[in-house]
Amino acid sequence: MEGTRLRSSPRDGSSSILKKGEGAGPVAESGWPLTVLEDPAKCSSVSRVDSVAEFRDFVRHGRHSEGEMCILTEGISKLQLTNSIPETLSEVLSQRKKLSAVEALLKTIEQGEDPWTGELFWWPPGETRREEVLGEDLRSKLLRYRPFVETCYAAELRSSRRGPHPRSCEQTDTLTSLDVKDLVTSHGSVPLWDRGHGFLGSSGAGIGLHVDQAWWSNIAKNFYGYKLVALWAPGSNVLETCGGELFRKPLCHRHLSALDRCCAVALLRPGDVACFTGGLPHTTLVVGSELNLTFYESFVNWNCDNLALLLSGLQRPIDQAWWQNNMSPEFAQTVLDDILRVVDAGGKLEEFQERFVSFLRSRPIAAARLAGKVRPSGEAPMKRRCLRS
């Protein structure tokens, strides 16, 4: 199947994710072997570009389903997203005083009128599987965890109340006022886009090895700090051996072996914006002394390979562990409804859109929905959540 596929080495022309003269820098304490970080085969699947147009083309048309990744260097500023996150959070993270992730969030929440919600995870010393902090709301979770010093990660940060987005007026719980969605869709629609949520963590935190509940593509907007990302190719059995586990040091033999078999590895630097699929096994790890803040968006573009991956994922069982679980049938239904509404909106289609529609109609799971009624345009979509990275 057709589709844009970028292939380029990092900006400095080396075969390493590290910049020339950068040294190990923030990745030195990760425990991830340099043989993995400097593997030419893994780095060749990652394109680091300077052009907004090139990045936008990868987002709208590129093939992501084989583990390809595109990073727009200094994308936060190039896409004019610098002021898109809550001002209070930005001010707290910009202070020279070093705060823990818990203290930074508490300080932010206590200054705002809109209560936030989200999940809070932590890892006992030496453990790779996470524990969840329970509580009625995010603030109570943070206060409960406050006395402890272990690594923690705040996931799916969002508003507790849905309201109109300042740009599109759509109902959303996102905390961002401007997204890559607004910049990409201004050049034409895409079949599906979810504005997503934020993730904040300290060194050694992250999301364990998993696939997203929906096998769509992700946008990672890395506002602060450094984060390592690794992806595995289709058909990998890595979830069977390391599913749900965080690749934190000291890495065991299983983790070292798994990293050796990943198909792509990248270091997200402050200001980078990256695009890759959430439908393949992937893991992230915050590195360096700074707190890391990344906001994610999810979408389906016009590439038929990516659509095939999404549809195959929607047919998985839903009773699996969190790291390979599927969306509920009701939520999966809304995903298909949203896609069908865009492709059936009428008007002349471009050639690449016609190929997408033809492929969609040939898939049994989508054809069944086409035989029914699409949700009325005035009806609000069901809220769907999907753990990302």
Side-chain angles (χ1 to χ4, degrees):
M1 296 176 187
E2 80 297 329
T4 303
R5 185 174 187 179
L6 301 178
R7 285 291 189 182
S8 65
S9 57
R11 281 189 304 168
D12 60 16
S14 71
S15 60
S16 170
I17 67 171
L18 306 176
K19 293 180 181 178
K20 188 175 182 179
E22 185 178 51
V27 305
E29 299 298 317
S30 69
W32 290 26
L34 284 179
T35 53
V36 170
L37 303 179
E38 296 179 340
D39 185 338
K42 304 182 194 311
C43 296
S44 67
S45 294
V46 182
S47 301
R48 183 172 281 273
V49 302
D50 294 307
S51 165
V52 170
E54 195 172 359
F55 180 76
R56 186 172 59 233
D57 184 59
F58 182 82
V59 170
R60 284 179 54 80
H61 306 288
R63 188 177 78 176
H64 313 154
S65 57
E66 297 293 320
E68 302 88 342
M69 182 187 301
C70 183
I71 302 174
L72 178 61
T73 304
E74 299 175 2
I76 298 294
S77 59
K78 289 176 181 176
L79 298 173
Q80 300 181 346
L81 298 172
T82 305
N83 299 320
S84 64
I85 61 175
E87 184 178 1
T88 50
L89 179 58
S90 181
E91 288 176 352
V92 168
L93 295 179
S94 298
Q95 294 174 1
R96 291 188 175 181
K97 180 181 178 181
K98 291 189 179 299
L99 297 172
S100 67
V102 169
E103 294 298 340
L105 273 179
L106 280 172
K107 194 170 182 179
T108 300
I109 291 173
E110 290 168 355
Q111 294 181 54
E113 297 179 0
D114 176 24
W116 292 2
T117 187
E119 284 67 58
L120 188 64
F121 303 113
W122 65 286
W123 293 262
E127 294 294 326
T128 61
R129 294 194 181 274
R130 69 191 191 188
E131 301 285 346
E132 184 172 3
V133 181
L134 302 179
E136 294 183 0
D137 53 38
L138 181 58
R139 185 173 183 275
S140 68
K141 295 175 187 177
L142 293 167
L143 291 174
R144 175 173 292 185
Y145 183 78
R146 197 178 203 172
F148 302 97
V149 296
E150 290 90 350
T151 300
C152 76
Y153 199 56
E156 301 281 348
L157 295 172
R158 58 200 185 277
S159 171
S160 62
R161 297 191 293 259
R162 289 169 69 81
H165 191 269
R167 299 279 297 195
S168 65
C169 294
E170 68 190 283
Q171 291 293 309
T172 180
D173 57 7
T174 189
L175 298 173
T176 50
S177 59
L178 178 69
D179 299 306
V180 174
K181 172 181 180 178
D182 303 300
L183 308 171
V184 169
T185 55
S186 64
H187 289 74
S189 65
V190 291
L192 177 73
W193 206 296
D194 185 279
R195 289 188 182 273
H197 309 113
F199 293 72
L200 179 71
S202 56
S203 181
I207 288 289
L209 183 69
H210 72 290
V211 291
D212 290 354
Q213 291 176 24
W215 288 1
W216 49 24
S217 297
N218 287 329
I219 295 286
K221 300 172 290 187
N222 200 59
F223 285 89
Y224 292 93
Y226 295 81
K227 177 179 282 183
L228 284 168
V229 182
L231 289 86
W232 280 259
S236 170
N237 67 347
V238 68
L239 287 174
E240 299 173 13
T241 58
C242 304
E245 297 183 13
L246 191 66
F247 286 38
R248 59 192 301 222
K249 71 175 189 179
L251 271 68
C252 65
H253 175 74
R254 284 185 299 105
H255 291 171
L256 291 171
S257 175
L259 284 174
D260 190 55
R261 291 180 281 118
C262 74
C263 67
V265 63
L267 174 66
L268 301 186
R269 298 179 175 85
D272 282 347
V273 177
C275 176
F276 58 93
T277 185
L280 295 177
H282 59 285
T283 189
T284 66
L285 183 73
V286 177
V287 295
S289 59
E290 304 172 37
L291 291 180
N292 173 259
L293 175 67
T294 309
F295 273 82
Y296 288 83
E297 304 173 49
S298 298
F299 67 100
V300 176
N301 72 0
W302 292 108
N303 188 286
C304 292
D305 287 324
N306 301 336
L307 175 60
L309 181 63
L310 174 75
L311 295 178
S312 65
L314 293 181
Q315 299 177 74
R316 294 174 295 149
I318 62 173
D319 58 349
Q320 308 299 303
W322 73 266
W323 57 85
Q324 55 185 350
N325 207 11
N326 198 357
M327 296 181 114
S328 71
E330 294 79 14
F331 288 169
Q333 208 83 308
T334 68
V335 169
L336 285 175
D337 284 353
D338 288 348
I339 293 174
L340 293 169
R341 180 177 294 105
V342 171
V343 301
D344 286 344
K348 189 176 186 306
L349 297 179
E350 299 287 341
E351 183 180 349
F352 65 86
Q353 294 171 319
E354 290 181 346
R355 286 195 293 267
F356 183 94
V357 173
S358 176
F359 182 81
L360 178 66
R361 292 179 184 277
S362 71
R363 301 295 95 180
I365 187 173
R369 287 298 299 151
L370 282 166
K373 291 183 178 179
V374 176
R375 189 179 60 243
S377 59
E379 184 179 332
M382 296 179 65
K383 180 181 178 184
R384 54 179 179 264
R385 286 186 46 241
C386 180
L387 275 180
R388 302 170 183 85
S389 309

